[in-house]
């Protein structure tokens, strides 16, 4: 197991640190008063910590993780529940060891020891992430899997061809029931059916429904204009309070999965469906990951067997070469059969399952929201909560594009992001320039009208996108192709937001520049990047300096929720 490997590696680093100390005491440095005063304490701490690491790894080894396999749609929840105590003990040992190591770290330590201790700290931090997630999954997983009572979940399938903050427009959905570890698909349909279910007789799908959503005031400020309503049916200053049924087409606009999941659950139940205990969102990359562990499928209407690679290619690009009515039928069949295949075969051991599905989850392609807070925390710990984290004194960015042209053209959209900033560590002040470059690689011919046409009267091949920048800083100015432009400002979950509408003709590249200014924590600079799951990964350059000191330097693709600082970059959960 990965956690066991990390713990044993930490133990080895600690033993090397201990050996280094013993070797040093044979040298004249043993006469240095400060060093000699700390020798016995430090040796004892390192010995105890190394022993704890080895013991914790041994405890994890005896847990029968391999018994946790999904076989024909059923997982042994009792086998998972049995792991709760040993994995909790493991987590306690790791947390205790992390505390010991942190307390032992001191500038008075000899350089060699500092190096080995730093290596051990890095290893134990990785082990701590794994142990917390494992312990939480064992504790709350049985309930999530219907051990105590049946659970019902809504599964939503999106496509980044029409971009939204949650990857893309929702096209299909499924309802699954889990009872004592046995998973069954109980319903399946298209978004149009959910829109119909919310529409009041005699009204259209753009009229407010009887359903008034429960959400924050800032949520209605941001998404009310797109159909979310106002949250207050008696507030006539902002129109009717009920959500528009058509909002099902915009409900995935926010980049925060917990918010989106809660709203979806309310709309699903409000349309006459049963209560759901959580919502899972998956896009083509997630569906392809399911096939990588479940095996290829055969779909009527597609000549060849569909493998994981061909499925992703089909869902991201090839489906759009078909006429709309044919495409919708095949898309529904592909999503339904893929999910059914995953739930009806014997899957590999947990380590292999995590290796294949893990990237899809941590990169935002397979994310979920659970109604109960402790279960939601489990999803966060295992890296599939898809949250927009509060910056909490850190700098950061989220770049989100939402399709506003009513077409499937975003598979051709390419984005590059450049961020250069100066940080004043005495005040926490940050002055930054952000450059977002958008390139529309779509052709003006060769695809059906629903792909490269649009509903806003622009030339064929044009992409109208709503670009939103999330930043903890203030926006001093914004230009589009060096022309000053106005933006719509707002807030969401601790971030400042600026949104603008941009039209990109076929083959066109446009550049947006922002001057940003504000303050973050004075206790050290950190940068949070919230990636949007898009068809073409962003190319990101970040260069942050404090005087002559480089705080952050990065150039490449950033495809998951990440924190960057002087120590490098690491996943943020």
């Amino acid at each position: 197991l990965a956690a066991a490997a990390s713990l044993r590696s930490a133990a080895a680093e600690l033993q090397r640190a201990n050996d280094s100390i013993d070797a040093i005491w044979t040298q004249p440095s043993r006469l240095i008063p400060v060093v000699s005063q700390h020798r016995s304490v430090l040796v004892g701490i390192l010995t105890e910590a190394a022993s704890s690491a080895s013991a914790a790894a041994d405890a994890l080894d005896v847990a029968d993780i391999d018994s946790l396999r999904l076989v024909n749609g059923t997982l042994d929840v009792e086998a998972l529940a049995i792991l709760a105590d040993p994995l909790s003990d493991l987590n306690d040992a790791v947390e205790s060891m992390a505390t010991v190591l942190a307390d032992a770290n001191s500038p008075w330590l000899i350089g060699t020891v500092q190096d080995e201790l730093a290596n051990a700290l890095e290893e134990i931090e990785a082990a701590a992430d794994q142990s917390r997630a494992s312990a939480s999954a064992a504790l709350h997983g049985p309930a999530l899997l219907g051990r105590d009572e049946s659970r019902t979940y809504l599964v939503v399938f999106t496509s980044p061809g029409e971009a939204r903050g949650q990857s893309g427009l929702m096209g299909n959905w499924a309802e699954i029931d889990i009872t004592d570890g046995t998973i069954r698909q109980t319903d399946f349909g298209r978004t149009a059916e959910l829109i119909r279910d919310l529409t009041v007789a005699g009204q259209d799908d753009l009229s407010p429904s009887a359903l008034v959503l429960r959400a924050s005031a800032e949520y209605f400020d941001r998404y009310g204009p797109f159909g979310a309503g106002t949250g207050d049916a008696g507030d006539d200053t902002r129109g009717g309070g009920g959500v528009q049924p058509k909002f099902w087409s915009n409900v995935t606009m926010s980049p925060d999965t917990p918010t989106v999941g809660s709203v979806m659950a309310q709309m699903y139940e409000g349309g006459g469906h049963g209560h759901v205990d959580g919502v899972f969102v998956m896009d083509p990359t997630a569906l392809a990951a399911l096939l990588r562990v479940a095996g290829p499928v055969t779909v009527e209407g597609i000549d060849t067997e569909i493998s994981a690679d061909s499925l992703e290619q089909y869902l991201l690009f090839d489906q759009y070469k078909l006429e709309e009515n044919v495409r919708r039928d095949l898309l529904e069949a592909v999503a339904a059969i893929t999910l059914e295949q995953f739930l009806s075969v014997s899957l590999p051991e947990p380590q292999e399952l995590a290796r294949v599905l893990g990237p899809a989850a941590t990169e935002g392609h397979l994310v979920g929201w659970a109604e109960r807070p402790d279960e939601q925390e489990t999803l966060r710990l295992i890296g599939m909560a898809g949250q927009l984290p509060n910056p909490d004194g850190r700098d950061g960015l989220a770049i989100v594009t939402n399709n506003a042209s009513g077409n499937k053209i975003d598979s051709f959209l390419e984005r590059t992001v450049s961020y250069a900033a100066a940080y004043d560590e005495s005040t926490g002040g940050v002055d930054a320039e952000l450059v977002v470059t958008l390139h529309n690689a779509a052709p003006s011919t060769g695809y059906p009208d629903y792909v490269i046409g649009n509903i806003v009267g622009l030339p064929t091949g044009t992409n109208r996108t709503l670009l939103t920048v999330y930043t903890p800083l203030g926006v001093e100015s914004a230009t589009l192709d060096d022309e000053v432009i106005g933006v719509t400002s707002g807030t969401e979950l601790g971030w400042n937001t600026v949104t603008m509408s941009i039209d990109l003709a076929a083959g066109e590249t446009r550049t947006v520049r922002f001057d940003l200014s504000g303050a973050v924590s004075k206790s050290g600079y950190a940068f949070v990047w919230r990636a949007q799951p898009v068809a073409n990964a962003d190319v990101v350059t970040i260069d942050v300096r404090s005087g002559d000191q480089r705080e952050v330097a990065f150039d490449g693709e950033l495809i998951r929720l990440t924190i960057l600082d002087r120590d490098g970059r690491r996943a943020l959960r």
Side-chain angles (χ1 to χ4, degrees):
L1 295 176
S6 294
L7 287 166
R8 286 207 172 97
S9 180
E13 299 289 355
L14 291 166
Q15 188 57 53
R16 280 194 290 271
N18 198 0
D19 294 343
S20 296
I21 295 172
D22 286 337
I24 288 166
W25 299 131
T26 66
Q27 306 302 318
S29 59
R30 67 184 184 278
L31 302 177
I32 301 174
V34 171
V35 176
S36 62
Q37 289 168 5
H38 287 78
R39 177 186 183 277
S40 60
V41 174
L42 185 55
V43 169
I45 289 174
L46 292 175
T47 300
E48 179 180 350
S51 176
S52 297
S54 297
D58 290 342
L60 187 55
D61 276 346
V62 302
D64 188 13
I65 303 292
D66 289 344
S67 66
L68 302 177
R69 294 194 184 191
L70 188 69
V71 179
N72 299 325
T74 299
L75 186 142
D76 187 348
V77 293
E78 292 304 323
L80 178 59
I82 289 171
L83 296 178
D85 286 342
L87 291 183
S88 178
D89 292 342
L90 166 67
N91 186 55
D92 289 344
V94 175
E95 298 284 2
S96 176
M97 189 171 67
T99 300
V100 168
L101 293 178
D103 290 344
N105 198 14
S106 166
W108 293 104
L109 296 179
I110 300 162
T112 303
V113 178
Q114 280 187 323
D115 292 341
E116 299 295 351
L117 186 56
N119 290 335
L121 279 167
E122 183 176 346
E123 293 287 348
I124 205 60
E125 285 173 358
D129 287 341
Q130 295 156 355
S131 68
R132 282 192 291 268
S134 299
S136 184
L139 181 62
H140 301 296
L144 276 163
L145 293 167
R147 180 194 189 195
D148 303 318
E149 58 181 344
S150 294
R151 293 295 183 85
T152 302
Y153 299 101
L154 176 65
V155 180
V156 169
F157 303 95
T158 64
S159 174
E162 187 168 346
R164 296 288 188 269
Q166 296 288 307
S167 178
L169 177 77
M170 171 184 167
N172 294 92
W173 57 273
E175 181 183 293
I176 62 172
D177 174 87
I178 308 180
T179 303
D180 200 25
T182 298
I183 308 172
R184 296 181 304 113
Q185 180 178 304
T186 54
D187 205 351
F188 194 94
R190 297 179 180 176
T191 304
E193 297 169 20
L194 299 180
I195 293 173
R196 179 203 61 205
D197 293 340
L198 260 184
T199 303
V200 178
Q203 294 186 341
D204 60 38
D205 55 20
L206 296 178
S207 298
S209 71
L211 174 65
V212 178
L213 295 174
R214 299 182 305 277
S216 66
E218 71 175 6
Y219 180 83
F220 295 112
D221 286 341
R222 277 194 53 72
Y223 301 107
F226 301 100
T230 69
D232 182 0
D235 184 357
D236 293 332
T237 63
R238 292 193 291 179
V243 61
Q244 295 174 2
K246 190 68 173 177
F247 188 59
W248 273 114
S249 296
N250 290 327
V251 69
T252 51
M253 288 182 69
S254 171
D256 186 62
T257 303
T259 299
V260 171
S262 173
V263 169
M264 282 184 174
Q266 294 175 58
M267 293 174 66
Y268 189 70
E269 186 173 359
H273 298 267
H275 175 80
V276 293
D277 299 287
V279 176
F280 292 90
V281 182
M282 60 176 63
D283 68 7
T285 299
L287 280 172
L290 297 187
L291 281 195
R292 284 194 173 88
V293 294
V297 295
T298 301
V299 178
E300 185 177 352
I302 299 178
D303 294 337
T304 59
E305 191 176 57
I306 300 178
S307 66
D309 292 336
S310 62
L311 175 65
E312 192 165 10
Q313 171 69 25
Y314 173 76
L315 292 177
L316 286 175
F317 300 103
D318 294 348
Q319 64 164 308
Y320 300 120
K321 297 176 183 178
L322 304 173
E323 292 302 319
E324 176 71 342
N325 60 332
V326 176
R327 181 191 72 86
R328 287 184 177 179
D329 289 343
L330 286 178
L331 183 61
E332 180 177 3
V334 167
I337 292 172
T338 299
L339 183 59
E340 182 181 355
Q341 172 94 337
F342 182 79
L343 297 177
S344 62
V345 300
S346 297
L347 299 182
E349 64 276 5
Q351 296 96 315
E352 177 64 14
L353 196 62
R355 185 189 68 80
V356 177
L357 295 183
T362 56
E363 293 167 14
H365 304 287
L366 173 59
V367 291
W369 164 79
E371 182 181 42
R372 295 162 178 82
D374 52 358
E375 295 169 7
Q376 175 63 25
E377 176 65 5
T378 296
L379 294 181
R380 185 190 68 81
L381 288 171
I382 64 178
M384 64 178 298
Q387 75 272 25
L388 176 68
N390 191 304
D392 195 25
R394 299 169 295 204
D395 197 5
L397 281 175
I399 307 298
V400 173
T401 47
N402 276 288
N403 183 288
S405 44
N407 52 18
K408 313 299 180 186
I409 205 168
D410 289 309
S411 291
F412 299 101
L413 183 62
E414 299 168 358
R415 316 187 320 186
T416 60
V417 179
S418 176
Y419 187 79
Y423 168 66
D424 187 335
E425 57 186 354
S426 65
T427 66
V430 178
D431 293 304
E433 181 186 58
L434 168 66
V435 179
V436 180
T437 303
L438 304 175
H439 174 66
N440 178 18
S444 57
T445 60
Y447 283 86
D449 190 60
Y450 75 89
V451 179
I452 57 175
N454 56 80
I455 62 173
V456 290
L458 296 171
T460 301
T462 301
N463 185 336
R464 173 171 289 179
T465 188
L466 292 178
L467 170 68
T468 299
V469 172
Y470 291 74
T471 171
L473 309 179
V475 177
E476 303 297 323
S477 64
T479 64
L480 174 61
D481 298 333
D482 298 324
E483 297 288 333
V484 176
I485 57 171
V487 297
T488 300
S489 300
T491 59
E492 186 169 0
L493 298 174
W495 297 78
N496 296 320
T497 65
V498 289
T499 301
M500 66 216 66
S501 177
I502 300 174
D503 292 342
L504 296 112
E508 185 176 23
T509 299
R510 307 197 72 180
T511 301
V512 191
R513 298 178 187 274
F514 302 89
D515 289 324
L516 309 175
S517 182
V520 297
S521 175
K522 293 185 290 185
S523 61
Y525 182 89
F527 185 94
V528 175
W529 170 260
R530 169 61 167 94
Q532 179 183 9
V534 288
N536 302 296
D538 293 335
V539 177
V540 182
T541 301
I542 303 173
D543 186 3
V544 181
R545 299 172 184 267
S546 176
D548 295 332
Q549 171 70 47
R550 176 167 278 173
E551 300 285 344
V552 173
F554 180 83
D555 188 7
E557 293 183 354
L558 275 179
I559 55 178
R560 65 175 299 178
L561 184 59
T562 303
I563 184 166
L564 304 98
D565 54 24
R566 287 186 183 181
D567 295 328
R569 61 188 173 100
R570 59 193 180 278
L572 177 63
R573 296 183 179 181

